[in-house]
């Protein structure tokens, strides 16, 4: 006669209860993984963006602070990674303070003309597209609202000289802001 062996009903119930308790304790952690991934994503993009800003400025310093004269004004400019950028300047040609720190990118120098006197959404889109090696899809707020492929919307605040980039994935309102006056990049997680 062979003796059958296996789990008793009590042992099975105990295992099921323990597995259930583990699932209840772990489930909230798994549900929170998506939001944590979005936070990590924007922090990574903002970190890469800040590195691009500082690298462009470092390139300008390494090349002995190149500038061009257009009319009677001198403008800072640099070729960074194959793209020409207009950079901020602390003083205009008459020596008057501009309330900016020297050497931070604010627009593409794609026509060789004078630097733009104001900031617009397209400047912010161009900055992200050209400061990062492999940028995520970015576009203006209007275009991002109608296109699911856009990962970040870009919006300029011309009076404060800032570019705000808002993560478009899911319902997050995570964002980072590039303060052109100082070169600072700040992340805000919602």
């Amino acid at each position: 006669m062979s003796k059958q062996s296996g789990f008793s009903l009590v042992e099975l119930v105990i295992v099921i209860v323990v597995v259930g308790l583990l699932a209840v304790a772990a489930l909230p952690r798994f549900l929170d993984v998506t939001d944590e991934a979005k936070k990590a994503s924007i922090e990574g993009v903002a970190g890469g963006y800040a590195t691009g800003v500082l690298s462009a400025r470092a390139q300008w310093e390494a090349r002995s602070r190149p500038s061009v004269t257009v009319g009677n004004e001198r403008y800072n400019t640099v070729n960074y990674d194959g793209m020409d950028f207009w950079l901020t300047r602390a003083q205009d040609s008459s020596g008057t303070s501009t309330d900016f720190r020297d050497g931070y990118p604010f627009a593409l120098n794609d026509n060789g003309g004078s630097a733009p006197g104001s900031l617009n959404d397209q400047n912010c889109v161009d900055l992200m597209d050209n400061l990062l090696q492999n940028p995520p899809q970015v576009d203006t707020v209007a275009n991002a609202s109608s296109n699911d492929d856009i990962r970040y919307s870009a919006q300029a605040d011309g009076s404060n000289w800032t570019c705000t980039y808002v993560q478009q994935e899911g319902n997050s309102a995570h964002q980072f802001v590039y303060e052109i006056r100082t070169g600072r990049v700040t992340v805000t997680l919602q």
Side-chain angles (χ1 to χ4, degrees), residues 154-169:
Q155 186 170 24
D157 179 347
S159 60
N160 292 313
W161 284 82
T162 60
C163 289
T164 301
Y165 300 95
V166 179
Q167 189 178 49
Q168 299 296 298
E169 300 174 74

Side-chain angles (χ1 to χ4, degrees), residues 16-182:
I16 290 171
V17 167
V18 169
V19 168
L21 290 173
L22 288 173
V24 167
L27 189 60
R29 299 285 277 162
F30 288 120
L31 293 176
D32 199 33
V33 168
T34 302
D35 190 47
E36 292 301 316
K38 289 177 190 174
K39 289 177 182 177
S41 173
I42 195 163
E43 287 174 340
V45 170
Y49 190 95
T51 300
V53 166
L54 293 176
S55 295
R57 187 177 193 290
Q59 183 73 16
W60 177 68
E61 291 282 0
R63 295 193 177 193
S64 302
R65 296 181 164 212
S67 62
V68 296
T69 301
V70 179
N72 293 330
E73 289 292 322
R74 291 196 65 72
Y75 297 98
N76 296 327
T77 187
V78 71
N79 182 298
Y80 170 67
D81 202 24
M83 184 60 62
D84 290 326
F85 288 91
W86 290 113
L87 306 177
T88 56
R89 58 192 179 144
Q91 296 179 345
D92 64 14
S93 293
S94 67
T96 304
S97 173
T98 61
D99 293 328
F100 287 79
R101 292 176 62 191
D102 272 330
Y104 295 105
F106 69 90
L108 295 182
N109 180 357
D110 55 2
N111 63 7
S114 62
S118 62
L119 183 68
N120 62 44
D121 292 348
Q122 190 59 50
N123 295 137
C124 295
V125 169
D126 292 341
L127 286 172
M128 183 180 256
D129 277 343
N130 291 284
L131 286 172
L132 296 172
Q133 287 286 328
N134 294 305
Q137 291 281 35
V138 61
D139 210 331
T140 63
V141 174
N143 292 341
S145 67
S146 62
N147 185 340
D148 291 338
D149 293 333
I150 304 301
R151 299 293 176 233
Y152 287 86
S153 65
Q155 186 170 24
D157 179 347
S159 60
N160 292 313
W161 284 82
T162 60
C163 289
T164 301
Y165 300 95
V166 179
Q167 189 178 49
Q168 299 296 298
E169 300 174 74
N171 292 325
S172 79
H174 305 316
Q175 66 181 15
F176 69 93
V177 177
Y178 170 41
E179 299 170 27
I180 295 169
R181 292 183 192 275
T182 62

